């Protein structure tokens, strides 16, 4: 049952100068992190980070300790990135599309334009390398 419980947290409302390394350092103070990923749109707005822990109880402890705490002057929002299967919402008409090996020149707007003919889109984001600012 523990294996089905969420181990990943989603951290939002981050300052634009927060780095993946900083988030991992801060959250590892609670419990060791398995990995993390900073995601930022092409304009550098609305960054967020996901942090995965080794155990559900570690993620729960970090959620309790870090939610609504200040990081670089902003109150961050920490939520579970995944939900136990017994609590999942109906998503049969909701799909996620991940595309890789895109040219570094591709921007979020290009993806939205390319996918627009296929129907309504709730969101599109490019994963950026924080060091170079180019798409991953």
């Amino acid at each position: 049952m523990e294996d089905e419980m969420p181990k990943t947290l989603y951290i939002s409302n981050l300052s634009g100068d927060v780095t993946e390394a900083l988030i991992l350092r801060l959250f590892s103070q609670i419990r060791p992190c398995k990995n993390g990923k900073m995601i930022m749109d092409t304009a550098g707005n609305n960054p967020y980070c996901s942090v995965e822990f080794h155990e559900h109880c570690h993620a729960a402890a970090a959620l309790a300790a870090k939610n609504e705490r200040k990081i670089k002057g902003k109150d961050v929002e920490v939520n579970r990135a995944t939900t136990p299967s017994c609590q999942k919402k109906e998503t049969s008409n909701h799909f996620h599309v991940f595309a890789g090996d895109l040219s570094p020149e591709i921007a979020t707007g290009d993806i939205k334009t390319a996918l627009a003919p296929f129907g309504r889109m709730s969101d599109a984001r490019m994963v950026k390398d924080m060091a170079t600012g180019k798409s991953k």
Side-chain angles (χ1 to χ4, degrees):
M1 185 71 172
E2 169 74 16
D3 286 341
E4 294 178 22
M5 298 301 291
K7 299 175 188 170
T8 303
L9 299 178
Y10 171 89
I11 302 99
S12 60
N13 197 40
L14 294 170
S15 172
D17 58 345
V18 170
T19 64
E20 182 178 303
L22 174 63
I23 293 294
L24 288 173
R25 190 167 53 250
L26 293 173
F27 279 76
S28 290
Q29 291 172 348
I30 307 301
R31 292 283 194 230
C33 298
K34 186 173 182 179
N35 63 53
K37 181 174 280 192
M38 180 69 80
I39 301 168
M40 198 175 277
D41 69 16
T42 55
N45 301 319
N46 305 315
Y48 65 94
C49 192
S50 66
V51 175
E52 182 181 6
F53 289 86
H54 296 279
E55 304 290 334
H56 163 72
C57 59
H58 298 170
L63 173 66
K66 295 295 185 182
N67 189 36
E68 298 180 351
R69 299 290 196 264
K70 285 196 185 306
I71 297 178
K72 293 217 170 204
K74 289 186 78 172
D75 291 327
V76 300
E77 296 175 18
V78 182
N79 292 293
R80 287 184 173 85
T82 57
T83 306
S85 57
C86 62
Q87 296 177 5
K88 287 192 176 179
K89 295 178 184 174
E90 165 58 55
T91 59
S92 61
N93 291 319
H94 183 91
F95 303 95
H96 292 255
V97 176
F98 297 91
D101 296 325
L102 300 174
S103 168
E105 291 78 33
I106 299 292
T108 298
D110 298 324
I111 292 174
K112 288 180 178 181
T113 300
L115 296 176
F118 298 101
R120 191 175 143 286
M121 186 181 330
S122 61
D123 194 16
R125 293 182 189 245
M126 286 295 281
V127 177
K128 295 286 195 178
D129 181 304
M130 296 305 292
T132 65
K134 296 193 179 221
S135 64
K136 284 187 174 183

